[in-house]
Each structure stands twice: as C-alpha cells, then as structure tokens.
Amino acid sequence: MDERLHVNVHPVYGGTAIAAQASVLQDAMAERFIVIQYGMNDSNYKSPIEPAFRSMLDRVKAMGRTPVLTGISTATAGEVMLRAVYNVTIANLAKEYGALYANWPGDVAYDAGSLMADGVHPTDDYQQRLADKLSATILAAAPGCAEAQ
C-alpha cells in the first residue's frame, strides 16, 4: 500500500473483529483512511461481527476519519460458513456508514489453484491483487490524495 495514501490498516493476524475492536477504539488514528478488514475468522468461529464493526465504525467516524471496509476475500480450505452472510452485512454497514467498500469477494480475480499458498492464506500475487483493489477504492473516492503530503 502506498504510504502517501495515509492509510491505517488494523491487522490482528488470526484475529477476529471482536479482538481488533480494542485496538481500533484506543488508536489515535492520525491517518485519513482506516481499513477495517475482518470476518474470515469470525465466520469460522461463528462469532457475530456486526456489533464490533459498528463500534469500530462509530469510533472512526467520530475521529473524522474515513472508514474503508473490504468484505471477506475468497479462500478454499474448508467452507467459510458464514462468508456470504457476513459479506452482505459488511457491504450494508459500508453503505449505512458512508464508508468506502473494497469489494474483495466480488471484484478481485481469484484462481484457487494458484492464488492460495495453503488453501487459506493468499500468495503474494493474490495479496497484491487485494491491495490493488483497496488502493483503487481509496483513490476513486479521493483522487489526488496520493500526491498530498
């Protein structure tokens, strides 16, 4: 991700929206765009995502920042049980909150045979495609922000 985009991605690797919530609620959020990208593990654990997402979105909006949601990317190992339901929830929350939405499951080309390192984690190529979609979503909403310093 181009640093000039002023993006803060809140990763909690192997985590859930609920686990990430505390980090987002405490962060000073100096960046213009705050990416919230959870759901895969939540789906596997059958954890509800909407309350945690709403809490994070409320905080990001209160700080005057622009939230960016991604949806859940495609994976092949096992069935991500609630992926379709969660993707609808995430897209609806993006619309309700006026957040940017990088539609990873719908807009990022996917080939199960070559894009998943172990059936769960994306290869470098697939990660680049996801990052490109995220960058394009942000730039479409705020052209020229990459040039701003």
Side-chain angles (χ1 to χ4, degrees):
M1 180 73 64
D2 190 324
E3 290 180 11
R4 295 173 299 163
L5 292 176
H6 304 282
V7 175
N8 184 332
V9 179
H10 277 275
V12 175
Y13 299 106
T16 63
I18 292 170
Q21 184 177 2
S23 170
V24 173
L25 296 180
Q26 294 174 11
D27 192 324
M29 294 191 217
E31 298 79 11
R32 180 176 177 183
F33 300 97
I34 309 298
V35 178
I36 301 171
Q37 57 177 25
Y38 301 99
M40 179 72 76
N41 290 330
D42 300 275
S43 175
N44 290 334
Y45 301 137
K46 299 180 183 174
S47 300
I49 61 167
E50 190 169 343
F53 266 69
R54 284 187 180 282
S55 178
M56 290 185 278
L57 286 162
D58 287 340
R59 169 80 168 138
V60 170
K61 296 290 276 189
M63 296 294 294
R65 305 299 182 240
T66 302
V68 185
L69 305 181
T70 64
I72 303 171
S73 64
T74 306
T76 58
E79 178 57 33
V80 179
M81 297 177 65
L82 300 172
R83 180 185 10 227
V85 172
Y86 285 10
N87 276 332
V88 169
T89 298
I90 293 165
N92 287 341
L93 286 169
K95 185 174 183 178
E96 177 183 337
Y97 279 83
L100 301 180
Y101 180 60
N103 186 4
W104 282 356
D107 293 342
V108 178
Y110 174 76
D111 169 11
S114 64
L115 296 178
M116 300 305 281
D118 58 5
V120 176
H121 301 96
T123 61
D124 290 345
D125 181 54
Y126 191 43
Q127 286 180 12
Q128 186 62 54
R129 290 181 195 193
L130 296 172
D132 289 347
K133 175 60 182 174
L134 186 58
S135 295
T137 299
I138 293 168
L139 287 171
C145 70
E147 290 81 27
Q149 296 295 322

